[in-house]
Amino acid sequence: MSDAGTTAEARTYDVVVIGAGPVGENVADRTRAAGLSTVVVESGLVGGECSYWACEPSKALLRPVLARADARGIPGLREAVAGPLDVEAVLAHRDAMSAHWDDSAQVAWLASVSVDLIRGHGRLDGPKRVTVTTPEGGTVRLTARHAVAITTGTAAAVPDLPGLAATRHWTSREATTADRAPGRLAIVGGGVVATEMATAWQALGSRVTLLVRDERLLPRMEPFAGELVADALREAGADVRLGVSVTDVKRAGGDDGEVTLFLDDGGELVADEVLFATGRAPRTGDIGLESIGLDPGQWLPVDDSGLVTDTPGGWLYAVGDVNRRALFTHQGKYQARMAGAAIAARAAGEPADERRWGRHVATADTSAVPHVVFTHPEVASVGLTTLEAQQSGRRIDVVDYDLARLAGAHQYTEGYRGTARMLVDADRGTVVGATFAGPGVAELLHSATVAIVGEVPLDRLWHAVPAFPTISEVWLRLLETYRG
């Protein structure tokens, strides 16, 4: 492992990775383990968005909120958690889970697996070439013998609204790292970031207003999921407004003044902070794509091995969020394991036949992407939604079950509310989609993922006996409901 200084130098490696988030780290780990010399280029913190501004801090903020919500439904415990959360302690926990934004442990890990690190901004400079500008002003010119992997991820995408560019506002980064709860927090959006941050900051003392363009929350999931989350947010005191858009934004008195949001229904909303949670954009605007004939700022389409399909020569890979296949850290790491194996196999001249390459391609991104929304209640899904299944042209049976009917749900918390949905391919007799919404359902997700990925026939699932009394008993009830 080395850090470049101010002098210009040239180096050659088997593999060059641009981006040291979890995806880049996994690509580098796999290629280095295969005996390929590997260097990672990173302009920010090693560990990336997930470690410092997304997965880790957001879940650290949410865990106390969800634990308290569950505890308030447990006799003998609800009185002990009747008061407000200790905001200072929650934020301190968040800081610890984010390693206080210190990447030294991640840097040490790279060194432990013999992967070099160059800090600086890396840009493609033609096929298999990367030029790095270091923080000290130096230049390092890298040449890859076999592959360059782009693992730069995504950044928050904000709408092109009048006044927004001149108005200080939150994106997901500010929402997960804020050092205090704003008195009034407006959140624009109705997806995962919007609902999770609404859940967190409402519980931490903010008066939250959600402004949602769609007619429901979590529009890419089953409708019942967004309805349950919306109901819970309103019960917690949040104002959830559906079917409304923001047309203009203004902040009075500089960066510390109130922010006014002008709405398409003619109304206005005044808040202390505004979070725009309106999507993600690829971090490819300044990585030299033009030097290889690609457009800066574009998503990078790939095949199942992570190889960029728009670039000849079989040397450029795009792994993780940047390829837009599945914008989740766990899926990006999965892709990284496949891409790392593919890079090593191609470097060794291994024939790309189906028998040998089955372990080198990512297939789950199109059929079995597990996804948890850590709201109250939790939402967990994998595979197809009902709408996606209908659009696929398959013959699908939809099986719903009220989770509140389970003994395990009543043991979990009083007043349990939740729904489970299983989608069955009627011709093949296998599960192709599952969605659970309710407290504690995240732990149901892997069993559903295994059933879908393994294409386990329903006749075999009958013999996977769930323990009593647990929420996992829903599998038995779904099968019974399906069989009638």
Side-chain angles (χ1 to χ4, degrees):
M1 190 279 293
S2 59
D3 288 276
T6 58
T7 59
E9 58 180 304
R11 305 184 196 176
T12 299
Y13 290 86
D14 291 324
V15 181
V16 177
V17 180
I18 304 177
V23 175
E25 290 176 318
N26 273 267
V27 171
D29 184 36
R30 290 305 170 104
T31 57
R32 189 68 193 93
L36 301 177
S37 61
T38 303
V39 62
V40 173
V41 179
E42 176 55 56
S43 60
L45 294 177
V46 176
E49 196 79 10
C50 180
S51 299
Y52 307 107
W53 298 284
C55 319
E56 295 288 357
S58 67
K59 302 317 170 277
L61 289 174
L62 285 159
R63 180 58 191 149
V65 175
L66 302 185
R68 183 183 66 162
D70 291 340
R72 284 179 167 176
I74 300 175
L77 184 56
R78 62 168 58 97
E79 295 78 13
V81 294
L85 290 167
D86 184 335
V87 177
E88 184 176 343
V90 172
L91 296 183
H93 171 61
R94 183 270 319 270
D95 294 351
M97 292 300 294
S98 303
H100 299 279
W101 294 272
D102 176 359
D103 67 355
S104 56
Q106 298 287 75
V107 172
W109 178 82
L110 283 178
S112 74
V113 294
S114 301
V115 171
D116 282 1
L117 168 67
I118 299 177
R119 291 192 185 272
H121 182 70
R123 302 182 82 255
L124 292 166
D125 188 22
K128 296 186 180 180
R129 297 197 304 271
V130 175
T131 297
V132 184
T133 303
T134 70
E136 299 81 11
T139 300
V140 182
R141 294 183 175 87
L142 301 172
T143 300
R145 294 186 186 93
H146 297 293
V148 175
I150 306 298
T151 61
T152 48
T154 60
V158 296
D160 184 18
L161 291 176
L164 184 58
T167 301
R168 181 183 61 77
H169 57 275
W170 282 10
T171 65
S172 54
R173 282 198 169 198
E174 290 77 19
T176 57
T177 59
D179 59 6
R180 61 179 179 83
R184 298 165 297 178
L185 174 62
I187 300 177
V188 182
V192 176
V193 172
T195 53
E196 287 190 347
M197 290 299 94
T199 300
W201 288 110
Q202 178 69 35
L204 291 170
S206 295
R207 297 192 301 279
V208 170
T209 302
L210 262 174
L211 302 173
V212 186
R213 180 180 59 188
D214 296 296
E215 293 300 328
R216 60 186 175 91
L217 297 184
L218 304 174
R220 295 183 180 180
M221 306 186 82
E222 299 285 8
F224 65 79
E227 292 166 5
L228 283 166
V229 172
D231 289 345
L233 282 169
R234 289 183 173 121
E235 290 170 8
D239 181 3
V240 180
R241 305 186 191 180
L242 303 175
V244 62
S245 296
V246 177
T247 59
D248 197 357
V249 182
K250 292 182 180 178
R251 188 182 285 273
D255 286 349
D256 295 327
E258 294 180 335
V259 60
T260 301
L261 290 85
F262 300 88
L263 310 179
D264 63 352
D265 62 4
E268 298 178 8
L269 175 67
V270 178
D272 299 299
E273 300 290 353
V274 56
L275 161 62
F276 280 87
T278 49
R280 308 291 295 178
R283 283 197 178 109
T284 60
D286 188 22
I287 61 169
L289 290 182
E290 66 279 3
S291 73
I292 56 171
L294 299 180
D295 295 329
Q298 73 171 76
W299 300 96
L300 296 172
V302 298
D303 66 15
D304 285 344
S305 70
L307 194 65
V308 176
T309 54
D310 291 344
T311 301
W315 62 275
L316 183 63
Y317 291 75
V319 191
D321 285 7
V322 74
N323 64 33
R324 209 181 192 178
R325 286 168 66 102
L327 274 64
F328 303 106
T329 297
H330 49 278
Q331 292 299 124
K333 291 163 69 174
Y334 160 72
Q335 292 176 22
R337 296 190 291 271
M338 302 300 106
I343 291 169
R346 288 190 173 107
E350 184 175 318
D353 64 82
E354 183 177 350
R355 180 181 61 83
R356 296 172 63 88
W357 273 68
R359 65 187 185 279
H360 302 329
V361 294
T363 57
D365 290 335
T366 57
S367 62
V369 177
H371 179 201
V372 179
V373 187
F374 292 90
T375 47
H376 178 70
E378 291 175 341
V379 180
S381 69
V382 61
L384 301 176
T385 63
T386 304
L387 179 61
E388 291 168 341
Q390 292 169 345
Q391 292 172 341
S392 74
R394 305 186 195 191
R395 230 170 33 96
I396 298 294
D397 293 325
V398 180
V399 188
D400 287 345
Y401 194 82
D402 181 0
L403 288 168
R405 296 172 62 189
L406 299 171
H410 290 287
Q411 293 286 354
Y412 196 90
T413 187
E414 285 188 343
Y416 193 105
R417 285 180 290 175
T419 298
R421 172 168 292 179
M422 177 177 71
L423 303 181
V424 178
D425 186 316
D427 296 316
R428 300 186 64 199
T430 58
V431 181
V432 294
T435 299
F436 310 97
V441 298
E443 300 305 329
L444 291 172
L445 191 57
H446 193 59
S447 56
T449 304
V450 171
I452 293 171
V453 172
E455 300 180 350
V456 182
L458 295 189
D459 286 344
R460 291 301 304 157
L461 284 181
W462 275 104
H463 301 284
V465 182
F468 181 89
T470 67
I471 300 174
S472 63
E473 192 184 11
V474 70
W475 281 108
L476 172 60
R477 303 308 174 198
L478 286 167
L479 292 170
E480 288 177 338
T481 302
Y482 182 60
R483 291 294 176 88

